[in-house]
Amino acid sequence: MATSVAVQLAQLRAKGSNPLDSKAQKIQHSKSLIFDARVAATQDFDSLFLVCYEAFHELCLLDSRFTGFAGNIFSEQSKQQDRIQMTRVQIDKLNTLLDDFLGLVGGRLLLKPALKAVEWLVRRFRIQEYNTLRMVLTFLPYHTTPIFSTLLSIMPRDLPPALRFLHPYIQSLANPPRHTIVYTAIHNKSFFVGMNAHVLDVSRVGYHYPALFSFWAAIITEAVAAMLDQSRNGRREIQRQSQEDVVLRIMPTLNDGMCLEKVHDLQVGCYMIITVLATKSALRDEVLAALMDAVAFGLSQTNHRGLICLAALAQQKESAVLSKRVLKALLKIEKLDHALLMLKPQYNVDKLALGAVLGIVEGFDNAQDTQRKSLALSVIEADLMDESSVAIAITSIMSIMQTGNLEQKQQPSVQSSLIDLLQCLTKKENVRKFIEGTTGGPEKGIDLRVKETMHWGENLLEGHQDSQLDNGHRPSLTESFEDAVTRIPTRTAHEISFLSHSDSCLFDSLASAFVLASSTSFSSSISSLKRFSDLPVLRKCLMMTEPLYLSFFVRVWCSPYQDVARAAAIDAVSECLRSSRLVQDVQFLLPYIIFGLADYSLIVRRASVNLLTALLSAYCKDETEKQRPNLATFGREQIYGQTKQSSEVVWLSIEEAAKFINQVLAPRIEEYVLDPNHISQHLSDTLNGSKTSTGAQYIHKDLKTSLRQAFFAFLCSHVVNTPIFSMKFRLLKILNKVERVGVLSRSKALLPLLSESMSESKLQREETCKRFQISPEKFHEQLVGIVSPVDRDGTRVLQSIIETVKDSDLPLLLIAAYKRIRAIWSSLKPDLQLTLAKILLELAVGDTQRNEGETQRVESILTLQTISLSTVILQHFIENLSALPNNMREKMSSKRRRTSHGHAVVPSDDDSKSFGFVLKRFAFVLELVEAHNPREHPQLLKGLFQAMGELQQLQNLSSTDLGYLEVLTMENILSIVKRLERSPDLQLDQSAIKPNVLIDCLRTTASPQVRQRALLLMSSLASVTPELVLHSVMPIFTFMSATTLRQSDEYSAYVVAQTMELVIPQLVKSLHKQKEDLILGTSELLLSFVAAFEHIPSHRQLDLFKSLVNKLGPTDFLFALLILLLDKYPGDQVVIGFAANLAGSYDALTQLRTIEKYLAVNLDILKPKPTISQHLVVVEGDRIAETVIAKMLPLLTVILRGERLINKTTKALVRNGENAIFIRVLYAQILEQILLLSRKTRHDKNMESCCSKVLTSLLGLLSTSELVGALRSILESDENEVIRLQALNSFQQRLTHDLKDSQPAQKACLAFLPQLTSVLENSSSLPLKHAALACIDCISERFGKKDLDAVFIAARGAFSNRNRSPADSSFHIATLLCLGTMIEVLRDAFIPLIPVVLPQTFDHLSASIEEDLMEDGLHNAAYCLIDALLLHIPWIVTGTYLESLLRISYRSANTDVGEDWIKSRQQTLSLAARQIEPRESFAALCETWKIATTEGPNAVMEYLDTFRVIIERQPKSMVLQQTEILTNILVNVFDLRRTQFSPRTECSFEDNEVEDAETAIFESAMTMIYKLNDATFRPIFLKIWEWTVDPISKKDGKANMYRRTTFYTFLIKFFDTLKSVVTSYADFIIEDAVVILQNVSLQDDDSKLLWRRVMTALQKAFEHDQDDFWQSLTHFSAMSECLLRQLSHGSQISMTSEVIPAITGLAVAADSANHHKGLNGAILQYTRSDNASVRLAAVQCEYSLTERLGEEWLALLPEMLPFISELQEDDDEAVEQETQRWIGKIEDVLGESLNSMLQ
């Protein structure tokens, strides 16, 4: 077991920390971020510090914070710091510095200076080992960059647990992907904690940077989200626990991060994480509240992200209450409502806004209530909360107001603030509507007290403000009750009732005192009220006999005073009823009690209920009384003053009043308190006698109609006669819900009130509404609500209002009347509707003489546009659309005439106004018709056509464009017509339809919109009443061709499509019925479209014409359209392409039928009396029939060549169904038509060409097997050679390009071969023979192997005697090529034809070489046939055949005419060399050498190339077997120079030609030598050598010299290629070379050439001597003496190119001091020659030897010095200069000067 010391030593050794382990130290030192390991290992700390410190200085210039590290880790002392020798305290301090530097440099790691600075920490402090985690976390944001992979390369093998995930990436040096880091953060807790700690540490010291935060936030957010997703497994408790564990893991980081207020990016990242926590987990409210507190701590004014986070957290809480910290943070944000409103489109801020409102309301105090109130109001107003949240907020406000919290605070200002807040809220439309929509009871979730307050706020809007009246009624805030009482007089002279219509001079002062008395404290209030009621002026003692006392309190509670005052007034009346016996019937109180019960104030309703209770008690009978006493009615003639209003009041009997109180009002007392709307609903149900209402069960069974009618009349009379407008307004709301009670209608009872209101002025009405604080608009709405739709008198009042009331008088009444008309319109009787509609129309678009107000005009227009007009009304409007009067029509007509004559006429203002009135009326009525869905009113059709005619007249008279009105009219007509299309059962008055009006419109209008609508309308009419429209069809399409078809917009396309869709089918149907010629009947239609073709937008052309053809029927009309197009645009390729594309869109059968009819029309043109063609094509004048047809036929060619037709036809024939039969029949007919057309136009070459092209295209349409059958009929029946030729050419093209082979095609083609052979044998037409031969060639190539016998017969026929006779070489070429193909197919089966074919081929080849022919095509074709033989049956081409081939090839080489000529011949010879047996080839070459030399150098070169190729292709064994014949060939070719130059003749080769030939000879020889060994080649070499030196002729001395020249030239190649391997072969030539060098004459060019070749050969032999061959004294002596003697020829030949290199080479090869000394002595002797040239040659030789051998040669320097001294003073300047050059070389070699030696 290892000891602890051993373990520690092992750890040190593993880390390379052992200072004695130099190898480990070097490895550790070589780990670098920027240097290669080998370079880093050689660096010391001094040099490294200079590099890194310079980079650190650059960082300091970028950021001054780096300067703090200059005195420690980047100081000079840091070079000597070794952390191994430091104490623990020093190491901790060092780690802190290193961590700080890494945190600061992290943001700049992509800069080179930063990377170099980190390099110092890596190399000196080895942070990758000791600060691994911090370094990796610093680099991790850049994990996708190369620097991270570099970091991985220096990481230690033992990584901390947090970084274990990097192991695989360290091994592969690959960058870790992002998902790996996220996965690690999820599952590796130490990495998760370390990463968060690193971010917080960097942020605390202020070294943070954006890259770190963005990386950290993204990784941690995704990791937390994944953790939360994983925690959703298991039971709910386990899930909650897992989620809280995640929160606990991240919560410390979030708390610390949120506390760093200045680090905004960190806070944003925390917000992201918190948002994920809130949305992905079900946390308790406590946890969410803690998170919200943390967010609120760092919330700033501009931190919208923090607000988003708070909103997300608040939304997850169950409770909307916010903590004080959160609320305080929110209140610090200026314009909180705006900030939340900006977030609302993307985030849910509902609960956060609710929490803010609740917190604000809870925290109201004296100091801040104004600010808080406005903030709460703005938050609620901003519509940030949903309905439930608004309800909670308002409920909370009411709870605070009505619970003990407010009483404890004892702060009246707080109460006032809350009241003001509620009042402001109720003024907001959205809040009020919300409350109104949720008044269904407590089950809606809203406390009734909230509703109560909200309705009270609405009351304020209507004028019932509780706090005050106007400035005249408002009591002073500083005035006391005593002061107010003192101003009240003690008596009144004229006051009878305070409900009188006359003004009271006493009421205001009394009311002020009463309000002050009721608003004091509770104890003082009782005494003040008692004192007030006892005032003498009120005459309390007479309260039950005169109305003054009670009317005062009634008016107070019906006026806009404070709730307390109004409740006190009601209580005062209640007290009166309780304290005294009822002596008169006080039923006048009932309407005002109902007013109080409907009040929105709770205390007022409670007081009213008390009053109702008191009244109920007063009306109760005593037990002793059988019936009530007949009491007088209180205030019967005085209640509303001594005026007619009091006398017009309808009163109840006391029994009726008692029944009404007991049976109607009393049962619902509790509900009245709770809901202010209950009394309204209850009374309306009671009066209506409703049995379906919720309160029906309380209606007494004995409540008869008479009682209800009496009470209804009672209430209505009080409403009409009371001066209290607030009471009128509130009761009208109830009474307007009752239509009729018994025989009494609402309108009859209340109509006087409405009539009276018409007599008031605007100022009076405004003053009244202001005084009673009611909304004028709503009051007038209730007034006109009196009118019932079933009451004619009421309707007449409304009519009177809209006709007579002026805009300036009562605009609100006018508007209300129009609203009422709109509301009751549907319930009005038809005659009343018609009457009102007429009036409204006149008011809306009245004539120019009327002066209606703007309000009347606008409201009339709005009403007509809103209400639903019946057919009768619309019909009346349209039929009464009067045009201009006659006098005005005459004026406009005369104006037009004068204008047309060039006289400008300015219309008068009256005329212009009248004309404008007519147009305005037209437009409005037509718009009304359009708005009322004219398809539902087909009776309007006649009137609309009349209106269309009127518009035409107006336009003609005024020259004004009325396009809008015309379009509007036609749109209405079109809607009706479409309805008629879909509903054929509807009866149609055909007399109402006037197509001529539309035609006139089309002709006269310049508006494209009008034209388009007219066309659409005509199209629809054609489907409804075709018999009325079809006679006008052609003008329509003629017009379309000039206008609509040329438009490029989509709507125009739709118009045209609809026109064709609806008109054309009807037209065709009509023509069928009338049994007329379809083409004749539609030719004008087709011509219209054809004429517009070039103007139609290109993108619409195809769809448009295709639609046209589809509507007409493609089978019957497509061909006619194509003919018209080609006739209109002859030769236009665009039109041809379009027509082909159009035809190609149909199926194959349709296209073929079209082609058949198309050709039938063309044949019809040629007839003396054409029939159908005369309607489609014009043939007259210069346009002869053939010219017209020639311009038609190209289209057929394009159609037939189309891939779509070919594919469709092929598929149809493959299916072999019914369509296939029709296609074959049509094809035969078309073929017959083409042949007939070609025969009829045979005399015209242009037509002949066109017909042949069509035929070619037609033949290409069918499959190969189908095509063969058609060809047979053509070849057998047609006499036209051009057609037959074209047919065969088409078939040949099909065979060439159609690569699909099928069994039927094979059989058909092979069966067709005999007929093609017959054409070859029997036809006299050479082009036809060519075509047949090409077809045979293609068939043989593709299908020949399937039937060899058929191909053989065809081959025999193709080369028969009858086919060899034509003199045209092109035919022979085609024949040879065809035979070549057949050879490939037949192979050995072709052998019987070889004796005939091959000699004839050689004849053709020879003939092609003749000077008078020089036919390269024939030449190449012959070689192609030979190539085929050589490839497939090469053993046939031997002996005589091969020699013949070579002889002809030599002749061909001598007569080259082009590259193809050469290429074909060389290819054949090369093929022969490869394919034929070498024995045969060599024998043929041996026999034909002389012929090749006779034919010229080109032939020789090809001979040699062939020879070389044969050798290259043969193995060594085969070459060894043929050595004898190869030697003979070599001897022959080596003798080329002699045979050409000995003697020279005119036919001899040029020197360069011989040189080129010898080069090729030597290449071939070397190729052969490579395949031989020394034992085999040496005899051949000796034989050639002996042949070379063997004397030929004594007379011709140069013969042997030429042979030697060739041989020594070969030796140059021989020695230079094989080098030292063949150095010993020089032994054979030494003697002969010495003789040549000694005896050669340098005056003769041939001799000099031999001398040069010998010298060069020797030089090559010296150069490659590696076996000391030339060190042999025998070899050296013989050669050295001879070579040195050549220096004497210095004056005759240059020594530097041959002699000196040879001598130098011999000296190098003979590496011996003795040999060198001998050579040196001999050369020095030549330096003293009398000949300067010899001396110069000797010096140059010494220089060369010195340069080549160096010090080895200069060992002989002592012998050289005397000669050098002499040469320095030589008479010849060249010698002297060369000597100096030699001296310089010696000094260079020795390294010292020779001056001292030469002195």
Side-chain angles (χ1 to χ4, degrees), residues 1430 1434-1435 1437-1446 1450 1468-1489 1502-1514 1518 1522 1525-1526 1529:
L1430 291 172
W1435 49 272
V1437 188
T1438 57
T1440 308
Y1441 291 147
L1442 181 57
E1443 291 179 8
S1444 299
L1445 174 62
L1446 292 176
Y1450 299 153
T1468 302
L1469 293 176
S1470 176
L1471 190 61
R1474 291 193 299 270
Q1475 295 292 104
I1476 300 175
E1477 287 290 329
R1479 179 175 56 80
E1480 298 289 341
S1481 300
F1482 289 144
L1485 287 175
C1486 192
E1487 292 294 330
T1488 58
W1489 165 249
E1502 291 196 0
Y1503 177 96
L1504 295 172
D1505 288 341
T1506 305
F1507 177 58
R1508 178 179 54 79
V1509 170
I1510 295 173
I1511 295 175
E1512 287 176 349
R1513 297 288 297 176
Q1514 306 307 319
M1518 184 61 68
Q1522 306 297 327
I1525 193 169
L1526 286 174
I1529 293 174

Side-chain angles (χ1 to χ4, degrees), residues 371-392:
Q371 178 183 359
R372 287 174 176 249
K373 180 179 70 175
S374 61
L375 181 58
L377 180 62
S378 61
V379 170
I380 297 176
E381 284 180 357
D383 196 19
L384 297 169
M385 299 180 288
D386 57 16
E387 294 180 353
S388 60
S389 298
V390 173
I392 294 171

Side-chain angles (χ1 to χ4, degrees), residues 293-310:
D293 289 342
V295 174
F297 185 84
L299 196 64
S300 62
Q301 181 67 34
T302 59
N303 196 347
H304 293 294
R305 296 181 180 88
L307 207 57
I308 295 170
C309 186
L310 280 178

Side-chain angles (χ1 to χ4, degrees), residues 1667-1691:
D1667 299 328
D1668 299 333
F1669 177 83
W1670 295 106
Q1671 283 190 6
S1672 171
L1673 182 60
T1674 305
H1675 301 156
F1676 177 78
S1677 300
M1679 193 53 64
S1680 61
E1681 181 180 355
C1682 178
L1683 288 176
L1684 291 173
R1685 193 177 296 122
Q1686 303 304 311
L1687 292 173
S1688 61
H1689 300 304
S1691 60

Side-chain angles (χ1 to χ4, degrees), residues 231 233-244:
S231 67
N233 299 325
R235 298 191 307 275
R236 181 169 298 179
E237 295 78 9
I238 297 176
Q239 292 182 19
R240 183 179 291 274
Q241 183 63 40
S242 301
Q243 291 174 356
E244 292 185 356

Side-chain angles (χ1 to χ4, degrees), residues 375 483 624 777 909 912 995 1216 1309 1362 1438 1597 1634 1638 1644 1701 1720:
L375 181 58
D483 295 333
T624 59
E777 294 86 357
D909 292 340
S912 298
N1216 202 20
C1309 290
R1362 283 180 287 182
T1438 57
V1634 170
Q1638 290 177 350
D1644 181 60
N1720 184 47

Side-chain angles (χ1 to χ4, degrees), residues 1439-1458:
T1440 308
Y1441 291 147
L1442 181 57
E1443 291 179 8
S1444 299
L1445 174 62
L1446 292 176
R1447 290 190 184 96
I1448 297 173
S1449 297
Y1450 299 153
R1451 288 177 57 199
S1452 172
N1454 197 36
T1455 55
D1456 285 343
V1457 294

